[in-house]
Amino acid sequence: MLKVTEKPGIISFAGGLPSPQTFPIEAFADACEKVLRGGGVDSARASLQYAASEGYRPLCEWVAASLPWDVSPDQVMITTGSQQGLDLVAKVLIDEGSRVLVETPTYLGALQAFTPMEPQIVGVASDAEGVDVDDLEGKAAPTLRTGASVTPEGPRFLYVLPNFQNPTGRSMSEARRAALVARAAAIGLPLVEDNPYGDLWFDHPPPPPLTARNPEGCIYLGSFSKVLAPGLRLGFMVAPKAIMPKLLQAKQAADLHSPSFNQRVVAEVLKDGFLDRHVPTIRALYKRQCHAMLSALRTEMAGLDVQWNEPDGGMFLWVRLPEGMNATELLPKAVEHGVAFVPGSAFYADHADPRTLRLSFVTATVEQMGVGIAALARAIREQHGA
Ligand code: PMP
């Protein structure tokens, strides 16, 4: 489907690619030079050598110091993107037939990471503020009947994206975070918190992460993809000390370690508060793009029963089509009109809502936004009337 949507001439709101305008090319050029020539030949050679599975120590230290709770660098593992963090969590925590809870909807890449371990993935009801804590209690019950099968033990974890979620763009309120962490702790349910978008807020930073409230009950995943560049394939995982040996074993089996050179270059780029200067430029760009998309939606969808949310950050917003419509069926018509999106059904563990779709507001330019949303509105009108 992504191949179709990336055809030349199509305005794509489909992909989850950060804007390449934000990649700090000069900072990387300087950092590469420093890593290869700035520290003597031994340091240059080390950057090209095999290295520790945990990650480059100065980078682990930077990660630990950057987080708003007490984290030891020994609890940090550098991963090959946060996507690898999801894969390692799946390998260590999931057995065939065990239950895993996710939000409704949730990140497709997480469903893909969990599925090979053959768990029973159960969606927890969610609203504009995130996970419905009462529904969670029911879905986390020790014995749960879903369809024909019964899982005889509690879930292994709840996977949750509190900030500018992929795919919906929604964020959890402070009250909901507090309630979720308290309920999860009370029933002994581990949380896997994925936070690649938390720094991409428009006007106000989101409330503190779930993990900050109960570090022993959570695994936290972070990423350099959205604040530096995704091609580096660097992310990180923070986990309770007791589980680190198992995660490290899985990491060693997967790829021994994340690229030494990339880690040292990123550690060099991050020196002297680089992100404090760089990330505000990403926030400003994405905020402008989001506002352009929202304004085009208001104009072009007038008179149509189409709903959407207004995110406070991140890269995505979530649209619900008029009653009776199906986003997967709409896509070919939209592509005919020159615009692409991702149908929402890909993001559900169960009970997909066929009316939903995801729009990315960061890849298309502000100039393309009006044209693309107008094309989408035309496709909806045609399909709706059909
Ligand atoms: N989690 C979420 C919610 C994402 O949206 C993405 C990227 N699309 C990832 C994890 C993986 O990111 P990366 O591996 O580049 O860190």
Side-chain angles (χ1 to χ4, degrees):
M1 187 189 66
L2 279 177
K3 265 194 206 135
V4 175
T5 62
E6 280 159 14
K7 280 202 302 211
I10 302 274
I11 296 178
S12 181
F13 302 134
L17 308 185
S19 170
Q21 287 177 53
T22 66
F23 301 160
I25 292 171
E26 286 310 313
F28 274 99
D30 289 349
C32 287
E33 177 74 20
K34 284 196 184 119
V35 166
L36 291 173
R37 298 199 204 276
V41 73
D42 286 345
S43 167
R45 284 177 176 154
S47 76
L48 299 171
Q49 185 56 285
Y50 283 123
S53 301
E54 291 85 344
Y56 180 49
R57 186 71 183 183
L59 190 56
C60 296
E61 285 168 358
W62 183 93
V63 168
S66 74
L67 294 170
W69 70 97
D70 192 18
V71 180
S72 153
D74 296 337
Q75 288 171 265
V76 177
M77 185 202 295
I78 303 299
T79 56
T80 305
S82 54
Q83 187 66 33
Q84 184 181 52
L86 292 168
D87 180 61
L88 301 182
V89 163
K91 285 176 173 151
V92 170
L93 293 183
I94 302 177
D95 292 305
E96 185 185 334
S98 60
R99 195 187 331 156
V100 164
L101 304 181
V102 299
E103 290 171 270
T104 303
T106 191
Y107 170 50
L108 169 62
L111 296 175
Q112 289 170 327
F114 302 157
T115 299
M117 308 310 294
E118 302 187 18
Q120 199 167 31
I121 306 181
V122 176
V124 179
S126 308
D127 59 23
E129 287 186 48
V131 177
D132 175 333
V133 178
D134 292 329
D135 191 54
L136 172 70
E137 184 114 27
K139 302 276 169 63
T143 302
L144 180 77
R145 183 177 291 279
T146 45
S149 55
V150 175
T151 40
E153 56 170 39
R156 296 296 166 92
F157 58 82
L158 166 69
Y159 169 67
V160 59
L161 293 133
N163 296 324
F164 321 123
Q165 198 223 27
N166 183 1
T168 59
R170 73 184 174 210
S171 283
M172 288 184 83
S173 65
E174 170 59 37
R176 191 67 68 87
R177 287 171 202 241
L180 172 59
V181 172
R183 198 73 68 96
I187 59 180
L189 174 68
L191 300 178
V192 174
E193 178 176 24
D194 191 8
N195 188 23
Y197 302 104
D199 287 322
L200 304 183
W201 45 268
F202 298 154
D203 296 313
H204 308 285
L210 306 175
T211 309
R213 302 152 200 260
N214 182 19
E216 280 303 298
C218 302
I219 293 178
Y220 180 89
L221 305 177
S223 177
F224 293 107
S225 292
K226 277 76 188 190
V227 292
L228 287 176
L232 298 161
R233 307 308 305 127
L234 286 182
F236 53 87
M237 173 148 70
V238 179
K241 279 192 182 135
I243 198 183
M244 284 307 281
K246 276 283 173 201
L247 290 167
L248 268 173
Q249 206 175 37
K251 169 75 180 162
Q252 275 164 9
D255 63 355
L256 301 180
H257 62 81
S258 299
S260 325
F261 183 72
N262 294 12
Q263 292 189 62
R264 284 172 186 247
V265 169
V266 165
E268 192 60 49
V269 166
L270 293 172
K271 277 184 184 163
D272 310 323
F274 176 78
L275 289 187
D276 297 340
R277 300 186 296 280
H278 179 60
V279 177
T281 65
I282 309 178
R283 288 179 196 137
L285 176 70
Y286 288 4
K287 180 178 169 179
R288 248 190 345 268
Q289 306 227 146
C290 182
H291 284 188
M293 183 172 271
L294 289 171
S295 137
L297 282 166
R298 273 180 226 116
T299 311
E300 303 296 342
M301 301 294 168
L304 281 169
D305 179 26
V306 175
Q307 298 151 15
W308 59 87
N309 61 341
E310 302 199 354
D312 302 318
M315 298 182 13
F316 306 108
L317 60 81
W318 193 237
V319 173
R320 192 147 188 258
L321 297 169
E323 177 134 23
M325 284 197 76
N326 179 312
T328 308
E329 288 167 10
L330 177 68
L331 182 60
K333 169 85 53 198
V335 170
E336 258 173 51
H337 282 272
V339 65
F341 56 83
V342 184
S345 52
F347 301 98
Y348 290 82
D350 44 31
H351 311 300
D353 178 351
R355 290 166 61 186
T356 55
L357 59 94
R358 186 191 76 176
L359 298 180
S360 158
F361 49 77
V362 306
T363 319
T365 61
V366 165
E367 294 69 39
Q368 289 174 320
M369 218 61 95
V371 181
I373 296 293
L376 180 60
R378 272 199 305 282
I380 295 173
R381 284 201 167 84
E382 268 179 35
Q383 190 93 343
H384 198 38

